[in-house]
Amino acid sequence: MQGYRVYDAEKTAKECVVYLERNSPPRLLFCGENLLQVHPPAGTRVVYAKPPIPGLRDPKAAIRHAIDHPENMEPLRALAKSGMKVTIAIDDISLPLPMMRLPDIRQSVLEVVLDVLATAGIDDIHIIIATSLHRRMTSAEMKRCVGSKIFNTFYPDRYYNHDAEDANGILEIGRTSHGEPVRINRRAAESDLLIYINISLVPMDGGHKSVGVGLCDYLTLQAHHTPQTILASNSYMDPQRSALSHSCDRIGRMVDQHLKVFHIETALNNRMFNAVSAFLGRNEDRWARTDRFKAEATKFVLSKITTQMKRKLYSSIPASYELIGVHAGETEATHDKILQHCYDQYCIPIEGQSDVIITGITFISPYNVNSIMNPLLVHVMALGYFFNFYRNMPVVKKNGVLILTHPCSNEFDPLFHPSYIEFFHRILTETRDSLVMQRKYEQEFARDPSYIKMYRQGNAYHGVHPFYMWYWGENGRAHVGKVIVVGATNRRVPAILGWEVASSMEEALEMAQSHVGHKPTITLLHFPPILMADVSGKPESVPMHDLQVTGACPS
């Protein structure tokens, strides 16, 4: 019924892992809103994302099949009874990235679910956006997410953002065996049936994390949104080895013990680019003449327009994601099925770690949709997300070097990220030690009345959120010996983050050699689209030869 294609390891390695030669064409990397063309040395291993798994031919039929044939539960039609109080929770705007073309998958699932509930004669239905401590979505964003018909029917009284600071709107249902408080949205907790509609863009998403994080408050997040938990996670993209995932599982199991929860989880392919822009994720060795022309034209256009215009351009082009899997029912059984879709799409076997990894940081993260990629978000993408896209062991060796490309502009959105500004300029200039931050300052930001007001009444991330962005890079910072930025338009931002600056990729690799030794092994992780490395074996010894760099990252 699902109809997805699985790639075998040998074919994947051949198609997605290449080694550069002296005459290999340059590689095109994102550098924030810009594009940077570099020519790494011969012997560099370049890892590309897998081709998109073909989307399901009839997504609506697959959704109906999933809820009619759930995992370890009765079908939704059997669970739905007249007179029930039902709450539907959906993921917020942080998924997927960028926003997908319409109809959004949440709308597609909601239409099927609401039809089932209407047939059962249920009219006490609320739709809650599971924002946790993320910013409130705007009405326009909410409308795009679910479509005009659902929006007009439910907004604003029965379609709204979760409020983690509403004292009367949170209910504690117990504590886990580890003492973790389980506090979630009262409306959801007091419903006869809670339906969660999830998008698992990466393996960290979904499962027990959906309700236990998306609908909780600060006190519950304190159980696992900590530097200690991140340090204990050997990639939080690998749930079996993630202390973060284990804590969420304990919390979620208690939720499932007390509430009737029906999970609907979806997996998308990685078709981030449309036909016009597909060259951005393609192996440059296989570019056609039209791809080379598009690359040069794109770089030229980007060099002539303002940063604000670039952001508007990027946000106007939705991703071409397609549904490749949908399952429903009991939380863990459903999530296990969806995880396999994620691994099928993203995981690439590679042999051995490298002394140096190179990657470009894009214009978007889960936390700056319709906004600015501020310095803390650059940090969390580099050392939080991209570093952690592995299983077994990191791509970079212990004490190795990460080279990233990004302008690192000292720019923040005062409406969406007000507490980030104070955190970056006040806290980070005093200490980069997460344990010191946690002990001395976290409560101050978490309880600040002005930040709470901006979170509840405006569209600001919660006051404590920048701490999480710093904690999220904890194991990356502990593992990587040096971070070097190419393309930075200033030295202050990288210095505050503890990073070094190079004027070119050639200079960055020379700096890396001074840290890891002569002739280092190098891997370039060619994000986007998303990829995950299944790292095995012993480190390879591939010599570094002459380096050439072409182009520059425009300011």
Side-chain angles (χ1 to χ4, degrees):
M1 179 67 191
Q2 297 295 335
Y4 64 91
R5 187 174 69 209
V6 179
Y7 298 86
D8 63 70
E10 184 177 350
K11 182 178 181 182
T12 295
K14 184 177 180 180
E15 291 184 351
C16 300
V17 181
V18 301
Y19 288 87
L20 301 187
E21 301 177 358
R22 288 181 181 274
N23 62 348
S24 294
R27 308 293 119 169
L28 191 65
L29 303 182
F30 272 96
C31 184
E33 292 87 0
N34 305 302
L35 295 173
L36 175 64
Q37 204 167 38
V38 300
H39 197 153
T44 296
R45 175 174 62 184
V46 185
V47 184
Y48 292 90
K50 288 182 179 180
I53 292 173
L56 301 178
R57 286 189 292 264
D58 189 340
K60 280 290 188 72
I63 295 166
R64 286 191 290 268
H65 182 272
I67 67 173
D68 287 341
H69 301 83
E71 308 295 326
N72 300 338
M73 288 188 77
E74 294 180 274
L76 182 59
R77 297 178 191 280
L79 295 173
K81 306 294 184 183
S82 179
M84 268 188 167
K85 180 179 183 179
V86 175
T87 297
I88 305 171
I90 63 174
D91 289 333
D92 72 356
I93 201 171
S94 62
L95 297 169
L97 298 172
M99 288 186 289
M100 67 186 299
R101 64 186 177 185
L102 298 177
D104 188 289
I105 190 61
R106 282 160 287 219
Q107 175 184 339
S108 299
V109 177
L110 273 169
E111 288 172 349
V112 175
V113 169
L114 290 173
D115 181 65
V116 171
L117 299 181
T119 300
I122 299 172
D123 53 19
D124 186 356
I125 303 169
H126 283 209
I127 302 172
I128 303 177
I129 304 171
T131 50
S132 189
L133 300 189
H134 292 182
R135 70 170 178 86
R136 285 161 24 100
M137 287 172 58
T138 67
S139 58
E141 291 167 340
M142 293 171 68
K143 185 174 183 178
R144 187 188 189 280
C145 185
V146 302
S148 297
K149 181 179 179 181
I150 295 174
F151 180 84
N152 293 336
T153 301
F154 288 89
Y155 181 84
D157 296 333
R158 295 189 297 143
Y159 176 36
Y160 49 87
N161 294 278
H162 169 65
D163 184 351
E165 287 291 347
D166 179 3
N168 295 321
I170 299 293
L171 180 66
E172 181 166 327
I173 60 177
R175 289 179 177 261
T176 70
S177 59
H178 286 59
E180 298 140 325
V182 183
R183 297 165 54 86
I184 67 168
N185 183 283
R186 180 180 292 274
R187 162 73 198 198
E190 294 179 346
S191 294
D192 299 304
L193 178 64
L194 172 60
I195 302 170
Y196 198 104
I197 299 172
N198 162 266
I199 303 171
S200 287
L201 188 67
V202 296
M204 186 179 69
D205 301 327
H208 286 300
K209 181 172 177 284
S210 295
V211 175
V213 170
L215 294 176
C216 78
D217 68 351
Y218 171 62
L219 293 178
T220 293
L221 285 184
Q222 277 187 299
H224 44 66
H225 276 44
T226 67
Q228 296 89 341
T229 303
I230 297 301
L231 276 174
S233 299
N234 186 6
S235 175
Y236 44 71
M237 296 298 171
D238 186 354
Q240 296 301 316
R241 308 175 75 176
S242 167
L244 172 65
S245 178
H246 296 162
S247 178
C248 290
D249 286 348
R250 289 190 295 269
I251 292 169
R253 286 168 187 150
M254 177 160 282
V255 169
D256 285 358
Q257 288 173 11
H258 288 76
L259 310 180
K260 193 71 170 180
V261 183
F262 188 87
H263 270 259
I264 304 172
E265 292 206 27
T266 64
L268 306 176
N269 63 15
N270 65 349
R271 200 180 297 279
M272 179 177 176
F273 303 112
N274 59 25
V276 175
S277 58
F279 72 93
L280 291 168
R282 190 177 296 144
N283 182 346
E284 291 85 349
D285 298 318
R286 299 175 184 171
W287 276 7
R289 181 178 300 178
T290 54
D291 291 326
R292 292 192 291 272
F293 172 78
K294 290 176 185 177
E296 292 302 318
T298 302
K299 287 197 301 173
F300 176 78
V301 171
L302 292 175
S303 70
K304 298 298 182 182
I305 61 178
T306 65
T307 300
Q308 289 72 24
M309 292 174 67
K310 294 171 193 175
R311 290 171 184 155
K312 185 175 182 180
L313 174 65
Y314 284 124
S315 64
S316 69
I317 305 174
S320 300
Y321 295 124
E322 299 167 303
L323 181 69
I324 60 172
V326 53
H327 297 275
E330 183 268 329
T331 306
E332 293 184 18
T334 299
H335 190 53
D336 286 345
K337 296 268 188 178
I338 289 296
L339 275 179
Q340 191 57 53
H341 291 287
C342 288
Y343 294 144
D344 289 341
Q345 178 63 88
Y346 298 141
C347 287
I348 300 162
I350 67 172
E351 183 75 15
Q353 297 173 294
S354 292
D355 300 300
V356 178
I357 56 172
I358 302 169
T359 191
I361 306 297
T362 66
F363 55 91
I364 196 167
S365 83
Y367 315 107
N368 77 309
V369 178
N370 295 325
S371 185
I372 297 166
M373 187 79 154
N374 66 54
L376 275 176
L377 300 182
V378 176
H379 158 269
V380 80
M381 290 303 291
L383 290 169
Y385 283 92
F386 286 0
F387 170 81
N388 278 280
F389 276 124
Y390 72 85
R391 291 196 296 185
N392 186 34
M393 55 183 169
V395 179
V396 64
K397 295 177 185 177
K398 176 69 175 177
N399 203 38
V401 175
L402 166 62
I403 299 174
L404 61 93
T405 59
H406 198 275
C408 290
S409 302
N410 190 3
E411 189 177 6
F412 293 82
D413 187 325
L415 296 179
F416 287 179
H417 303 114
S419 63
Y420 280 57
I421 301 170
E422 181 182 3
F423 178 91
F424 186 76
H425 292 289
R426 175 189 158 208
I427 308 303
L428 266 187
T429 54
E430 177 183 325
T431 181
R432 298 190 200 103
D433 188 322
S434 293
L435 299 180
V436 173
M437 294 176 184
Q438 183 186 39
R439 183 178 68 253
K440 291 182 64 176
Y441 300 115
E442 183 180 314
Q443 287 294 313
E444 174 192 340
F445 277 64
R447 301 305 184 194
D448 186 295
S450 62
Y451 288 144
I452 290 175
K453 182 177 180 179
M454 286 185 277
Y455 162 78
R456 297 194 68 192
Q457 299 180 16
N459 296 99
Y461 280 82
H462 195 280
V464 79
H465 202 261
F467 288 81
Y468 299 159
M469 296 298 92
W470 188 254
Y471 300 162
W472 233 238
E474 192 70 16
N475 53 7
R477 290 192 302 273
H479 186 90
V480 174
K482 186 188 291 289
V483 179
I484 303 170
V485 185
V486 176
T489 57
N490 67 86
R491 290 183 174 270
R492 175 170 169 76
V493 166
I496 291 175
L497 294 171
W499 299 348
E500 298 183 16
V501 175
S503 60
S504 66
M505 188 62 70
E506 179 179 32
E507 182 184 358
L509 286 169
E510 289 173 353
M511 294 165 63
Q513 286 188 83
S514 69
H515 183 78
V516 299
H518 189 51
K519 296 183 179 180
T521 52
I522 306 168
T523 295
L524 191 161
L525 299 174
H526 203 284
F527 292 103
I530 296 171
L531 61 91
M532 282 186 64
D534 278 337
V535 187
S536 62
K538 297 180 180 180
E540 299 178 0
S541 180
V542 180
M544 184 173 80
H545 301 292
D546 296 334
L547 172 72
Q548 302 175 38
V549 179
T550 60
C553 185
S555 60

